[in-house]
């Protein structure tokens, strides 16, 4: 239970029956709660660990400055609790500022969401999406959650599934693209498959084939810049709307083009809750432009 900046929990007999309570608390926090040594040491140093009867109190929610200016923007919250926030990132919005000072980013909007909710949280995104890619983005609301979720990202324990609409009929035998990705020396904004690049593994976990186009469901083992776009373009199936990597223009529907960006959307985000360990799967429904493109290419509409 959260009480202001404190979390109250009952670790049970592992602590209550121990001869050395302080040592037992530290062991329980590290082994059962997964608390990083650095955070544990800071809490000890600052009086952030209290033992009262059979209850352990932890100062896990101290007030923090957001670290970025709160700027209001409509925000679709997919999941929120005391430790995590998952929000939908719309097309055309960057996750964080790029130094140019142009435009509201998702981080700005999340800071405004915290302010409106009366929460004094630093804005800490755990992963990113390309500016024109839609889908869920995970935020940690305190230092403990950030440390646990950052480690989960390093251990590839946070699963992300994407839907991409691509040119051509993707063979069902194509299930893994394991090709290194590096910078394109001829184009500053592009990446390319390069023997000297970083390892990049893309898994195709589902395929729906239409006439001249396909829908592919994708999971990433690595998170290289533009990874899905680079890999699919390299094997001859660039994303619709992805001019940077040779993708075709989306067809017109009733006199207008439904999609003016790359056809890539994050459908699901799966991770273990940083405190409870509960497996969470957060779904993010397809945006309208992707739905219209799918319907046009699959023949569901005229």
């Amino acid at each position: 239970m959260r009480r202001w900046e404190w979390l109250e929990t009952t670790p049970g007999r592992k602590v209550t029956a121990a001869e050395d309570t302080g040592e037992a608390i530290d062991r329980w926090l590290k082994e059962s709660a997964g608390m990083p040594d650095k955070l544990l040491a800071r809490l000890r140093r600052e009086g952030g660990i209290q033992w009262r009867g059979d209850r352990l109190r932890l100062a896990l929610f101290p007030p923090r400055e957001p670290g970025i200016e709160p700027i209001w923007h409509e925000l679709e919250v997919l999941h929120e609790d005391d430790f995590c926030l998952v929000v939908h990132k719309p097309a055309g919005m960057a996750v964080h500022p790029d130094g140019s000072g142009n435009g509201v980013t998702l981080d700005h909007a999340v800071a405004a969401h915290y302010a409106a909710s009366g929460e004094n949280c630093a804005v800490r995104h755990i992963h990113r999406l390309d500016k024109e890619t839609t889908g869920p983005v995970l935020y940690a609301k305190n230092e403990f959650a950030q440390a646990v979720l950052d480690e989960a990202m390093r251990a590839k324990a946070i699963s992300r599934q994407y839907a991409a609409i691509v040119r051509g009929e993707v063979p069902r035998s194509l299930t893994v693209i394991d090709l290194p990705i590096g910078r394109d020396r001829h184009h500053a904004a592009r990446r390319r498959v390069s023997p000297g690049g970083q390892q990049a593994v893309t898994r195709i976990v589902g395929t729906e084939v239409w006439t001249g186009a396909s829908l592919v469901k994708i999971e990433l083992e690595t998170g290289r810049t533009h990874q899905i776009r680079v890999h699919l373009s390299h094997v001859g199936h660039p994303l619709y709307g992805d001019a940077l990597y040779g993708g075709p223009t989306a067809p017109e529907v009733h006199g207008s083009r439904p999609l003016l960006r790359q056809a890539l959307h994050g459908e699901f985000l799966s991770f273990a809750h940083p405190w409870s360990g509960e497996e969470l799967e957060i779904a993010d429904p397809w945006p309208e432009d992707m739905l219209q493109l799918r319907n046009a290419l699959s023949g569901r509409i005229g």
Side-chain angles (χ1 to χ4, degrees):
M1 180 181 295
R2 179 177 177 179
R3 297 185 184 276
W4 299 281
E5 70 179 82
W6 296 88
L7 178 75
E8 286 192 354
T9 184
T10 51
R13 288 187 56 79
K14 287 184 177 180
V15 174
T16 58
E19 293 184 9
D20 188 329
T21 302
E23 181 182 326
I25 288 171
D26 285 0
R27 185 167 55 251
W28 183 84
L29 286 173
K30 288 193 285 188
E31 295 177 0
S32 298
M35 182 168 289
D37 291 340
K38 186 176 180 180
L39 178 57
L40 176 59
R42 183 175 67 75
L43 290 176
R44 280 289 185 201
R45 185 172 62 252
E46 297 177 358
I49 300 175
Q50 298 178 358
W51 179 247
R52 296 183 177 180
D54 64 345
R55 292 179 179 270
L56 180 63
R57 301 181 80 231
L58 305 168
L60 294 187
F61 310 104
R64 292 286 186 262
E65 292 297 319
I68 190 170
E69 180 187 4
I71 303 176
W72 185 89
H73 191 282
E74 186 176 350
L75 193 68
E76 183 179 352
V77 175
L78 302 172
H79 171 86
E80 186 170 17
D81 57 44
D82 289 328
F83 291 84
C84 325
L85 171 71
V86 183
V87 297
H88 168 78
K89 191 194 81 63
M93 177 182 279
V95 171
H96 60 91
D98 61 4
S100 66
N102 296 324
V104 179
T105 69
L106 199 63
D107 281 0
H108 288 113
V110 166
H113 170 74
Y114 289 156
S117 303
E119 296 203 67
N120 297 312
C121 297
V123 176
R124 308 174 175 93
H125 60 260
I126 300 301
H127 64 103
R128 295 173 290 179
L129 294 174
D130 290 348
K131 185 175 182 179
E132 298 300 334
T133 300
T134 53
V137 176
L138 172 61
Y139 285 80
K141 294 177 69 174
N142 53 58
E143 289 96 330
F144 173 80
Q146 182 180 21
V148 172
L149 293 172
D150 280 345
E151 178 55 34
M153 279 294 291
R154 283 190 289 271
K156 302 176 183 177
I158 296 178
S159 176
R160 294 161 288 166
Q161 180 172 300
Y162 297 84
I165 299 176
V166 303
R167 182 180 68 198
E169 299 174 13
V170 176
R172 299 189 188 280
S173 58
L174 181 63
T175 57
V176 181
I177 306 172
D178 184 353
L179 296 167
I181 292 175
R183 292 184 178 275
D184 188 333
R185 60 182 179 179
H186 302 294
H187 195 301
R190 284 173 54 104
R191 300 295 189 273
R192 61 188 290 271
V193 168
S194 170
Q198 296 177 298
Q199 182 192 22
V201 180
T202 300
R203 295 195 177 275
I204 297 176
V205 296
T207 306
E208 187 175 323
V209 180
W210 310 316
T211 301
S214 301
L215 164 65
V216 289
K217 303 295 184 78
I218 295 160
E219 290 181 356
L220 295 180
E221 284 195 14
T222 54
R224 309 305 176 202
T225 300
H226 298 176
Q227 178 174 320
I228 292 172
R229 300 163 64 189
V230 172
H231 271 172
L232 287 171
S233 175
H234 184 80
V235 299
H237 299 289
L239 277 65
Y240 269 84
D242 192 358
L244 186 63
Y245 292 102
T249 301
E252 289 191 1
V253 177
H254 304 309
S256 64
R257 297 193 188 283
L259 184 129
L260 301 174
R261 61 181 180 95
Q262 70 255 13
L264 183 61
H265 172 66
E267 290 186 302
F268 296 101
L269 176 68
S270 304
F271 61 97
H273 189 274
W275 178 258
S276 70
E278 177 190 1
E279 286 295 328
L280 300 176
E281 183 176 276
I282 312 300
D284 191 348
W286 281 34
E288 187 62 26
D289 59 356
M290 285 276 290
L291 289 171
Q292 289 188 24
L293 180 64
R294 180 191 67 184
N295 290 342
L297 294 172
S298 65
R300 300 186 189 189
I301 62 174

